[in-house]
Amino acid sequence: MATPLTKSLPTGLAQVEQEIARACKEARRDRASVTLVAVSKTFDAAAISPIIDAGQRVFGENRVQEAKAKWPALVSAHPGITLHLIGPLQSNKARDAVALFDAIHSVDRPSLCEALAKEIKAQNKRPELFVQLNTGEEPQKAGVVPGEADAFIASCREKYGLVISGLMCIPPVNDAPAPHFALTAKIAARNGLKNLSMGMSADFAVAIQLGATHVRVGSAIFGAR
């Protein structure tokens, strides 16, 4: 199968690439329409370097402080790395997040919008922004509930001047993921958003079938944490 990476791939990465290619073929989509975000949270440079050497250039981290500690040296050594923040972001970490990350998947409340707008202007840097949905309306989980999504996206644009690239969702653990992915895609479509950050190690093939443009895969590439 065609792959954008080098031929000699670590086993996990090779399997994920094959599954992405298969899912794209079944969905009649171009493989290039799906970005693999390799989730490297909790793994150190020694574990990440072979994945970089194989050609992977897009990585995801959950915590600003962890990423700040390990990625500047890796980015310096390997040009072309793109970093995505996929975990919750505290407003007081917005400065570091805007400085370090090329994409932020967890925009979910007005205070964070305000902090991001301030830092984007101050640093003259525009990371790609995704609004995080809480499609299962789980009280313990971050994200905007579906019924408030349209108003929140409008507020991001009109009140804070943020350019929203797409939506992100994490379905409830015990739910079938497909309805949550379909709902996220529907909300994105009616708000003119082209990017969908959906799908992790267990369900990224389903997410691709339902329009995911970014899949966040960690354990299937790096192994158990």
Side-chain angles (χ1 to χ4, degrees):
M1 288 186 178
T3 168
L5 307 178
T6 56
K7 290 180 180 178
S8 179
L9 300 181
T11 302
L13 182 59
Q15 291 174 344
V16 169
E17 272 297 326
Q18 288 171 2
E19 186 62 25
I20 290 174
R22 186 181 304 116
C24 286
K25 185 177 181 180
E26 289 176 359
R28 298 184 178 181
R29 295 180 59 185
D30 185 346
R31 168 63 186 88
S33 69
V34 178
T35 297
L36 170 59
V37 181
V39 180
S40 49
K41 66 177 183 180
T42 76
F43 288 97
D44 61 14
I48 296 168
S49 291
I51 307 301
I52 297 175
D53 291 341
Q56 177 66 25
R57 286 295 179 271
V58 185
F59 291 85
E61 290 284 340
N62 264 43
R63 298 177 183 276
V64 174
Q65 288 307 109
E66 181 187 343
K68 193 176 175 184
K70 69 187 181 186
W71 274 104
L74 284 166
V75 169
S76 178
H78 302 279
I81 295 288
T82 301
L83 286 181
H84 291 235
L85 178 64
I86 62 172
L89 176 59
Q90 296 172 293
S91 297
N92 63 2
K93 296 284 200 317
R95 178 180 298 175
D96 286 341
V98 169
L100 183 60
F101 290 97
D102 301 285
I104 296 170
H105 291 228
S106 44
V107 180
D108 67 349
R109 61 196 185 280
S111 60
L112 180 56
C113 290
E114 186 173 356
L116 287 171
K118 177 183 175 183
E119 289 304 326
I120 285 168
K121 183 177 181 181
Q123 298 184 38
N124 193 27
K125 188 172 182 285
R126 293 190 173 275
E128 199 172 8
L129 301 178
F130 293 74
V131 167
Q132 180 174 345
L133 299 184
N134 183 350
T135 53
E137 303 194 25
E138 298 172 275
Q140 80 281 11
K141 190 178 285 184
V144 181
V145 298
E148 298 174 4
D150 294 351
F152 181 76
I153 293 164
S155 176
C156 288
R157 291 165 164 166
E158 296 161 14
K159 184 174 181 180
Y160 300 103
L162 298 176
V163 177
I164 302 300
S165 167
L167 302 180
M168 184 269 259
C169 79
I170 306 172
V173 172
N174 295 319
D175 281 14
H180 295 273
F181 296 154
L183 175 60
T184 301
K186 183 178 179 180
I187 293 170
R190 70 174 181 239
N191 284 281
L193 298 172
K194 65 177 183 177
N195 288 320
L196 294 167
S197 173
M198 310 190 302
M200 298 187 287
S201 288
D203 56 19
F204 66 83
V206 176
I208 289 170
Q209 292 283 346
L210 291 165
T213 59
H214 296 69
V215 293
R216 312 179 305 273
V217 182
S219 59
I221 295 173
F222 291 97
R225 290 185 170 81

